[in-house]
Amino acid sequence: MEFDCPVPMTQYSNILLAHGSGGTMMHQLIDKVFVAAFGSPELKAGHDGAVLDVEGRIAMTTDSYVVNPLFFPGGDIGKLAIYGTCNDLAMCGARPVYLTAGFIIEEGLPMETLWRIVCSMREAADETGVRIVTGDTKVVERGKADGVFINTAGVGFVPDARVIAPLQVSEGDVIILNGDIGRHGIAVMAGREGLSLETAIESDAASLAGLVNDVFDAGVNVHCLRDLTRGGLAGALVEIARSAGVEVVVNECDIPVTEPVRGACELLGLDPMHVANEGRFILFVPENDALNCLHCMRRNSLGENARIIGRVAHRQSPGSVRLNSVVGTSRIVEMIAGQQLPRIC
Amino acid sequence: MEFDCPVPMTQYSNILLAHGSGGTMMHQLIDKVFVAAFGSPELKAGHDGAVLDVEGRIAMTTDSYVVNPLFFPGGDIGKLAIYGTCNDLAMCGARPVYLTAGFIIEEGLPMETLWRIVCSMREAADETGVRIVTGDTKVVERGKADGVFINTAGVGFVPDARVIAPLQVSEGDVIILNGDIGRHGIAVMAGREGLSLETAIESDAASLAGLVNDVFDAGVNVHCLRDLTRGGLAGALVEIARSAGVEVVVNECDIPVTEPVRGACELLGLDPMHVANEGRFILFVPENDALNCLHCMRRNSLGENARIIGRVAHRQSPGSVRLNSVVGTSRIVEMIAGQQLPRIC
């Protein structure tokens, strides 16, 4: 989608503090930028909130986005703000439907930058089939934020009989991963640090709701879903092993990592298992459903490299994750303590 | 509510970047601070989102809070983050039920400060009858935010037949205000600038959902509601006059302003009509319902000074707001263009 840049219409080429103060300048910013880009009937109604129809149960989630830089190979903060929150809803077994958007903008942000971001959000929202129904704008003084921070909260619909949660995970469940890991974190870091890698690495940022929906439509009995954002594949596996009280075993040789990502990780001393992704997730399904699940996923470009990476073992060491390495050894996978790559989402 | 300060349990007396990076330190922060304070079963489930039961239609809203200072006479950023979003839901005619909470924390924030804020949020949530069901934590480098920014998004339930919106406003409607205006903005500004006013002014920050509910329970046929936050009473009146396409007339002598607020406004060159409030709102009701509405409101401490401040006139100048001043003149009330007081919410 292409919009003309609205800079002339807003009269200001940069965000001023006054754009956040509830007066005519804020209303102009909302009309000319946010409503113009997002254009949902609820936003146009100009009320403080949106009244919405729902079906059955809802899932609700929120994420704030503070990625630095705002634009990186394969994505930008706007795409992340839509994909990330919708992916979290999809991981609850929900179809994403409604989003809120809260902007905290640093005084001085070029209006054109803001416009590029909101257009990217609109594109991502259309692709995912969600509507941005209400929002909020705050402006803080120069130096009191870093360009723009975006919060999105989402509501999705969950069919009545569907329960997707760590506690559904059972011994014998197979773990499926939808593709290669580590690209998002490395792409953002390379963009931030100005690293010139031999091969350009693009973020894997993507909207997973459609693929997840395909899996449900195929009748797969999904037990649990988790996207591999902060903390990476290792973090997601440890979280679920702990919440479910199960032991998980994965095979390193089955976990795809592209050569450029592997090279960059070696150079930087990072473990791809801990690097963040924005379009990768794992599914826990009964063994009987694994082939049907793989077959269905591989028909979708976001799942064409889907494969089984491990399974839920006997409950000998509940809460632990064991990795069988390519060289035949076996080690326990831990969550990292603190930061590997800050501000990647 | 009083909690023991969890500083020893988290091992860290200040927030580190690593607290936002998806590893064990972030999980410890979530467990020991957010889950400990908020304690909802959905948060304890440790999933990426919450699956929730709903009744009828929902209202959805969001607000980011960037108030400076974090603590001010009569409130703090945590109380605002709960009251503000719940008040927005109440203004949609909804009963607030579920909240999300997204924190963007500056590296170095004292853990004790964060704890005081989340305890204040819990208190305010309990008072309002809402649950914080899911959240998110990001940490940015020192100097890249200002202490902490909080986003809350909320979902409330709206009875099927209830429609509260500017378009419901009709000629002859009476406008009721629940109390004196201007205290919140002045209290925050005095706190920030270190002004020592003759009489201490406390913010009017309050949860309005209970009072609004009383009005509905009394059978008042409410047409529209609006809280008087950024932009103040003037901003709210102009927004509704424009959205509804009506002319609004208010009487200055009926708009309560306390002497300390009037004095501070004169000193600072501010118009109380434009100063933000966090516990004040206006109701548009048919003239026949006005007495019932006032009677009901005055039984609640948040409405004990409720009074009629004006009415919806003939549609001669749709979108305009006229103020009959105390000295007998009449003037058009405008929204302010930009900032009067930045970062008051």
Side-chain angles (χ1 to χ4, degrees):
Chain A
M1 183 192 314
E2 281 293 324
F3 293 97
D4 292 331
C5 182
V7 173
M9 296 170 69
T10 63
Q11 300 169 29
Y12 301 94
S13 55
N14 292 76
I15 292 287
L16 306 180
L17 267 183
H19 279 118
S21 293
T24 52
M25 284 174 64
M26 187 177 90
H27 283 82
Q28 197 194 51
L29 177 70
I30 291 172
D31 285 348
K32 302 288 186 195
V33 177
F34 299 119
V35 177
F38 301 151
S40 64
E42 294 85 0
L43 269 186
K44 283 181 186 156
H47 209 25
D48 273 347
V51 176
L52 307 161
D53 291 319
V54 293
E55 294 165 13
R57 294 176 305 159
I58 60 169
M60 199 174 172
T61 190
T62 190
D63 254 323
S64 300
Y65 298 86
V66 299
V67 66
N68 170 20
L70 298 174
F71 301 87
F72 49 83
D76 58 73
I77 190 172
K79 285 222 162 12
L80 287 190
I82 303 296
Y83 290 159
T85 295
C86 290
N87 288 350
D88 279 348
L89 290 173
M91 297 302 122
C92 297
R95 177 168 65 85
V97 186
Y98 304 124
L99 288 187
T100 66
F103 295 82
I104 299 174
I105 310 175
E106 183 185 7
E107 181 188 16
L109 183 78
M111 195 67 78
E112 198 187 337
T113 304
L114 182 62
W115 183 244
R116 280 175 64 198
I117 291 167
V118 298
C119 290
S120 179
M121 291 175 75
R122 169 64 186 266
E123 237 179 53
D126 286 349
E127 178 195 341
T128 309
V130 293
R131 284 214 308 280
I132 297 164
V133 294
T134 188
D136 176 57
T137 310
K138 293 290 187 307
V139 180
V140 297
E141 304 89 336
R142 217 176 277 265
K144 298 294 186 186
D146 196 13
V148 60
F149 300 142
I150 303 176
N151 175 285
T152 49
V155 160
F157 298 158
V158 190
D160 272 337
R162 189 179 292 170
V163 182
I164 306 297
L167 283 178
Q168 302 297 109
V169 170
S170 309
E171 196 181 308
D173 276 2
V174 158
I175 304 166
I176 296 175
L177 168 66
N178 72 315
D180 65 295
I181 60 170
R183 277 199 279 125
H184 175 72
I186 300 295
V188 171
M189 188 174 162
R192 179 160 69 215
E193 308 294 342
L195 295 184
S196 56
L197 302 168
E198 271 181 52
T199 315
I201 295 172
E202 290 221 329
S203 167
D204 50 61
S207 177
L208 297 170
L211 174 56
V212 171
N213 197 48
D214 290 349
V215 171
F216 283 115
D217 279 353
V220 176
N221 176 17
V222 178
H223 284 167
C224 192
L225 300 165
R226 186 64 54 103
D227 53 349
L228 313 179
T229 53
R230 281 183 294 175
L233 174 58
L237 288 169
V238 173
E239 278 175 23
I240 290 178
R242 285 187 190 165
S243 299
V246 298
E247 182 181 345
V248 158
V249 180
V250 290
N251 301 309
E252 193 173 17
C253 61
D254 293 324
I255 299 168
V257 181
T258 64
E259 272 317 306
V261 168
R262 193 178 298 284
C265 281
E266 278 171 14
L267 195 73
L268 300 164
L270 301 173
D271 180 346
M273 290 283 289
H274 292 122
V275 176
N277 313 270
E278 286 288 340
R280 297 293 175 252
F281 72 115
I282 46 176
L283 307 89
F284 288 72
V285 302
E287 185 160 18
N288 282 343
D289 287 55
L291 282 184
N292 181 20
C293 185
L294 281 174
H295 185 65
C296 159
M297 289 177 74
R298 287 178 180 160
R299 277 180 301 205
N300 184 312
S301 61
L302 291 172
E304 62 190 5
N305 296 314
R307 58 169 91 182
I308 295 171
I309 61 162
R311 62 185 59 232
V312 177
H314 293 284
R315 297 178 186 238
Q316 283 180 322
S317 311
S320 81
V321 175
R322 194 150 41 83
L323 179 84
N324 296 322
S325 79
V326 284
V327 293
T329 59
S330 167
R331 67 176 171 89
I332 297 299
V333 175
E334 303 279 4
M335 215 177 256
I336 47 169
Q339 105 202 63
Q340 193 184 43
L341 298 172
R343 299 188 57 187
I344 38 69
C345 62
Chain B
M1 184 192 317
E2 281 292 324
F3 294 99
D4 292 330
C5 182
V7 173
M9 297 170 68
T10 62
Q11 298 168 33
Y12 301 93
S13 54
N14 293 76
I15 292 288
L16 306 179
L17 266 183
H19 279 117
S21 293
T24 52
M25 285 174 63
M26 188 177 88
H27 283 82
Q28 198 194 48
L29 176 71
I30 291 171
D31 284 348
K32 302 290 187 195
V33 176
F34 298 119
V35 177
F38 301 151
S40 64
E42 295 84 0
L43 269 186
K44 284 181 187 157
H47 208 27
D48 273 347
V51 176
L52 308 161
D53 291 319
V54 292
E55 294 164 13
R57 295 175 303 160
I58 60 170
M60 199 174 171
T61 189
T62 190
D63 254 323
S64 299
Y65 299 86
V66 298
V67 66
N68 170 20
L70 298 173
F71 302 87
F72 49 83
D76 59 72
I77 189 172
K79 284 222 164 9
L80 287 191
I82 304 296
Y83 291 160
T85 295
C86 291
N87 288 350
D88 279 348
L89 290 172
M91 297 303 122
C92 298
R95 176 168 66 85
V97 186
Y98 303 124
L99 288 187
T100 67
F103 295 83
I104 299 175
I105 310 175
E106 183 184 7
E107 181 188 14
L109 183 78
M111 195 68 77
E112 199 187 337
T113 304
L114 182 61
W115 183 244
R116 280 175 64 198
I117 291 168
V118 298
C119 290
S120 179
M121 291 175 75
R122 169 63 186 267
E123 239 180 52
D126 286 349
E127 177 195 341
T128 309
V130 294
R131 284 214 307 281
I132 297 164
V133 294
T134 188
D136 176 58
T137 311
K138 293 290 187 307
V139 180
V140 297
E141 305 89 335
R142 217 176 274 266
K144 297 294 186 186
D146 196 13
V148 59
F149 300 142
I150 303 175
N151 175 284
T152 48
V155 160
F157 298 158
V158 190
D160 272 338
R162 189 179 291 170
V163 182
I164 305 297
L167 284 178
Q168 301 297 109
V169 170
S170 310
E171 195 181 310
D173 275 2
V174 158
I175 305 166
I176 296 175
L177 167 67
N178 72 315
D180 64 295
I181 61 170
R183 278 199 279 125
H184 175 71
I186 299 296
V188 171
M189 187 172 165
R192 181 161 67 216
E193 307 295 342
L195 296 184
S196 55
L197 302 168
E198 271 181 52
T199 314
I201 295 172
E202 291 221 327
S203 166
D204 51 60
S207 176
L208 297 170
L211 174 56
V212 171
N213 197 48
D214 290 350
V215 171
F216 284 115
D217 280 352
V220 177
N221 175 19
V222 178
H223 284 167
C224 191
L225 300 164
R226 185 64 54 104
D227 53 348
L228 313 180
T229 53
R230 281 182 294 176
L233 174 58
L237 288 169
V238 174
E239 278 175 24
I240 291 179
R242 285 187 190 166
S243 299
V246 298
E247 182 181 346
V248 159
V249 181
V250 290
N251 302 309
E252 193 171 18
C253 60
D254 294 322
I255 299 168
V257 181
T258 64
E259 271 316 306
V261 168
R262 192 179 299 285
C265 281
E266 277 171 15
L267 194 72
L268 300 164
L270 301 173
D271 180 346
M273 291 283 289
H274 292 123
V275 176
N277 314 269
E278 286 289 338
R280 295 295 176 252
F281 72 116
I282 46 175
L283 307 89
F284 288 73
V285 302
E287 185 160 18
N288 282 342
D289 286 55
L291 282 183
N292 182 21
C293 184
L294 281 174
H295 185 65
C296 159
M297 289 176 74
R298 287 177 180 161
R299 277 180 303 204
N300 184 312
S301 62
L302 291 171
E304 62 191 4
N305 296 314
R307 58 169 92 181
I308 295 171
I309 62 162
R311 61 186 60 232
V312 177
H314 293 284
R315 297 178 187 240
Q316 283 181 321
S317 312
S320 81
V321 175
R322 194 149 41 84
L323 180 85
N324 296 321
S325 78
V326 284
V327 292
T329 59
S330 167
R331 66 175 172 91
I332 297 299
V333 175
E334 303 280 3
M335 215 177 258
I336 47 169
Q339 104 203 60
Q340 191 184 43
L341 297 172
R343 299 188 57 188
I344 37 68
C345 61

